[in-house]
């Protein structure tokens, strides 16, 4: 899948608009790539590599912290949990609402599982997307309807 990738921090603009500056690191240097992101559509049948990398996005409409104004979004990498080893790990998950960047969750491999949670204000409708970066296998994308 096409994307505009920050040369510094691997943020990907998925709306096909080159940002003035990277919303994550502030850099102003991007590269447009036709194959920036791997998706489930890249292979007709999901193999183990796909199952370990495609972000699994789950929406929980009832939040335990802000019950009347929040929806929880949980992202797990992936359907088969990805390893978190020094030599092979998930570095970050970026989240997008209607293809606009909203958050990055970063990981260190020693103590963290490759799972991210965000608290989205109530009232959103549309599509939620997640992009994850594996230090060995690159950038992977998934998107769901909210
Ligand atoms: Fe990997």
């Amino acid at each position: 899948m096409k994307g505009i990738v920050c040369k510094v921090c691997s943020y990907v603009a998925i709306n096909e608009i080159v940002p003035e500056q990277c919303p994550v690191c502030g850099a102003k240097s991007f590269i447009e790539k036709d194959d920036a992101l791997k998706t489930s559509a890249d292979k007709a049948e999901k193999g183990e590599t796909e199952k370990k990398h495609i972000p699994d996005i789950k929406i929980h409409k009832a939040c335990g912290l802000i019950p009347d104004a929040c929806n929880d979004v949980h992202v797990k990498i992936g359907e088969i949990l990805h390893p978190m080893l020094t030599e092979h790990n998930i570095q970050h998950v970026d989240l997008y609402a209607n293809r606009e960047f909203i958050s990055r969750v970063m990981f260190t491999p020693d103590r963290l599982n490759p799972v991210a949670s965000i608290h989205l204000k109530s009232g959103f409708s549309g599509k939620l997307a997640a992009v994850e970066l594996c230090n060995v296998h690159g950038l992977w994308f998934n998107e769901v309807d909210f």
Side-chain angles (χ1 to χ4, degrees), residues 22-68:
C22 174
V24 177
C25 75
K28 295 182 178 178
S29 184
F30 297 90
I31 183 163
E32 195 169 333
K33 290 184 176 176
D34 286 335
D35 60 349
L37 298 159
K38 298 178 192 105
T39 72
S40 56
D42 290 343
K43 285 193 177 175
E45 203 168 300
K46 273 197 278 183
E48 193 171 320
T49 304
E50 285 74 23
K51 287 180 181 173
K52 281 185 178 167
H53 289 89
I54 293 166
D56 184 19
I57 305 169
K58 297 240 171 16
I59 294 155
H60 301 274
K61 300 259 175 177
C63 168
L65 296 174
I66 314 169
D68 53 351

Side-chain angles (χ1 to χ4, degrees), residues 107-145:
F107 302 99
T108 52
D110 289 353
R111 298 192 186 279
L112 295 174
N113 284 312
V115 179
S117 293
I118 58 162
H119 296 263
L120 196 63
K121 288 180 182 175
S122 296
F124 172 76
S125 66
K127 289 188 179 290
L128 274 176
V131 170
E132 64 95 342
L133 175 62
C134 167
N135 69 329
V136 175
H137 298 102
L139 292 156
W140 296 73
F141 170 88
N142 197 10
E143 188 169 53
V144 296
D145 290 317

Side-chain angles (χ1 to χ4, degrees), residues 1 23 29 33 49 52 54 68 72 81 84-85 94 114 146:
M1 179 178 143
S29 184
K33 290 184 176 176
T49 304
K52 281 185 178 167
I54 293 166
D68 53 351
D72 293 353
L81 196 65
M84 287 300 271
L85 307 168
D94 287 344
F146 187 84

